[in-house]
Every structure is written in C-alpha cells, then in structure tokens.
Amino acid sequence: MSVLPILTLGDPRLRLKGQPVDSFGKYLHELIDDLTDTMRHAPGVGLAAPQLGEAVNVAVVEVGGRLLELVNPRIVRADGDDRDLEGCLSIPGFFAYVTRAEKVWVVAQDRRGKKYKIAGSGLLGRAMQHELDHLDGKLFIDYLTDLETELIPVGRLEEQGMDEEEREALARRG
Ligand code: ZN
C-alpha cells in the first residue's frame, strides 16, 4: 500500500479509457489499496485508476466513512439534476459548478469480483459520477463552456471569503 503521485491536467494518460478488469488477483488488490491510500492522503472523496496512470476500470469512493471499491462500474439509472461546486485532484486549485444527475444507481464489482448495486445521491452520487467519468477519459472541465469565467481558482474563493458550501467544496475533490 502506497501513496502515489496523482497525474495532473495535461498528462495524456488522464484521457485514456479504462480497460475492463477480468482478473481479480494481486495486481487489482494492490491498485485498489494504492488508490485508497492516495485518495485519503490527498485528501479527496474519490480517485480513479487513470489518475495514477493505470488505464483500467477501477475507482474508489469514500463518503461518510464508507469505502466503495468500484471495479467495472457502470451507471444503470440516473434521476434528477443537481448543480454544485466540484473539484478534481488532477486539477488542483480550481473548482466549478457542474450539473450532474441528482441520484444514480451504479452496478460494480468488488475486489473479489462479486457484483453489487449501489444508489447514491448528493455528494456520493456526484463523486461516483465524477470517478466514472475518469474511467471514460473525461474531466469535469469538459462540462464547462467557458473556462475563463466558469473555472474558479481556490484563491478567489478565499479572497471573497468562502461560505460554508465553498469550504465544503474543498473536501469534495475526486
Ligand atoms: Zn477527478
């Protein structure tokens, strides 16, 4: 288990699509442990394998003390709209308002290959959508039409005095 460097914007490996996982052995278990350690160290609420340079369909999400190991995850249902501040560990120092589904249902496998289904709304739902995007080579800035005005530097939030929601957003990166 190790804390590894997180790739940042501009690294082409962030744009690779994750390959399906069909082997549930040592490589996968070490990758999940490294993702978990690196996410907690950052700290963040999620981390996907492409952010560590591994183009495989594996991510972790931890919200409210519950760690989810997402292997080969896919969204099977989505409901509603939710617009909120969001950040990414691969785009340090910036946030933006991103509209996502309010609630999603995800089917995934755990590290042993066992299938499970999880529903998430609020931060959990947002974190799962953010991490699944990473597995598709997609970043939250791809939802913005004008980076210049929509991307908010953390410094600007701090200068203007952050409200509760913005302070919380600092812990909402994945
Ligand atoms: Zn991210």
Side-chain angles (χ1 to χ4, degrees):
M1 306 220 292
S2 339
V3 173
L4 299 174
I6 298 173
L7 305 188
T8 52
L9 187 63
D11 192 308
R13 288 173 291 176
L14 284 173
R15 295 302 191 171
L16 297 176
K17 283 189 198 303
Q19 296 302 303
V21 173
D22 53 16
S23 170
F24 295 83
K26 191 162 177 268
Y27 162 78
L28 176 67
H29 296 175
E30 286 181 1
L31 176 58
I32 289 173
D33 291 340
D34 288 346
L35 283 167
T36 304
D37 284 356
T38 306
M39 169 188 68
R40 287 175 174 164
H41 180 260
V45 292
L47 195 66
Q51 293 176 281
L52 296 184
E54 302 289 323
V56 290
N57 276 339
V58 181
V60 294
V61 166
E62 190 167 47
V63 172
R66 182 181 180 191
L67 177 67
L68 292 175
E69 301 174 350
L70 300 163
V71 181
N72 297 323
R74 60 192 175 88
I75 292 171
V76 293
R77 191 182 152 197
D79 241 13
D81 283 324
D82 177 56
R83 187 166 171 80
D84 213 337
L85 275 174
E86 183 170 324
C88 179
L89 293 170
S90 293
I91 309 174
F94 293 92
F95 294 86
Y97 281 93
V98 179
T99 302
R100 294 195 181 270
E102 201 280 320
K103 184 173 183 182
V104 289
W105 287 257
V106 171
V107 171
Q109 287 165 281
D110 67 13
R111 68 169 65 207
R112 281 169 297 278
K114 189 169 183 277
K115 254 192 185 166
Y116 68 98
K117 190 172 180 180
I118 171 106
S121 54
L123 180 56
L124 175 59
R126 179 169 295 272
M128 289 199 292
Q129 291 172 79
H130 180 107
E131 299 316 324
L132 266 68
D133 271 356
H134 274 300
L135 302 182
D136 218 17
K138 195 165 182 181
L139 302 170
F140 82 89
I141 53 170
D142 299 345
Y143 293 99
L144 309 180
T145 49
D146 183 2
L147 292 183
E148 210 56 21
T149 57
E150 292 179 70
L151 210 53
I152 306 167
V154 174
R156 199 199 304 171
L157 288 181
E158 282 164 353
E159 281 162 25
Q160 291 173 349
M162 284 186 281
D163 63 22
E164 182 106 356
E165 195 186 19
E166 289 166 338
R167 271 195 298 275
E168 276 176 25
L170 293 174
R172 271 184 202 176
R173 301 169 302 171

